[in-house]
Amino acid sequence: ARPPPPPPGPPFDLPSPLPAPPARAPDGDKVSDYAVEAMRWAVDRGLIAGMDDGRLDPTGTATRAQVATILNRFCEMIGA
């Protein structure tokens, strides 16, 4: 199931301070420090929904289909 749409407001607005790391995923603590802010933003806006078992798998690799899904969701989000 697709996550709900992002809250109203500019699409690139980052709340501050951001909680670290993404708490909804059991492996959220494995997100690298430099990527926590971007990952939180992408998860909160539904661009990244994680794996079927709820993991983000931040140390894994993304398939072409996963990247295409993220890019498609981003394009929909910005109205492109």
Side-chain angles (χ1 to χ4, degrees), residues 5-55:
F12 303 105
D13 217 12
L14 289 170
S16 182
L18 290 171
R24 293 185 293 240
D27 59 350
D29 61 335
K30 294 192 175 37
V31 175
S32 296
D33 291 342
Y34 74 89
V36 168
E37 188 173 326
M39 182 66 85
R40 169 62 71 189
W41 180 86
V43 168
D44 285 349
R45 283 158 180 77
L47 298 177
I48 296 176
M51 311 302 273
D52 289 338
D53 62 2
R55 294 177 304 115

Side-chain angles (χ1 to χ4, degrees), residues 53-77:
D53 62 2
R55 294 177 304 115
L56 287 172
D57 195 17
T59 60
T61 56
T63 66
R64 288 180 188 167
Q66 290 168 327
V67 172
T69 298
I70 293 167
L71 291 173
N72 186 54
R73 290 176 182 168
F74 181 76
C75 288
E76 288 176 357
M77 183 179 82

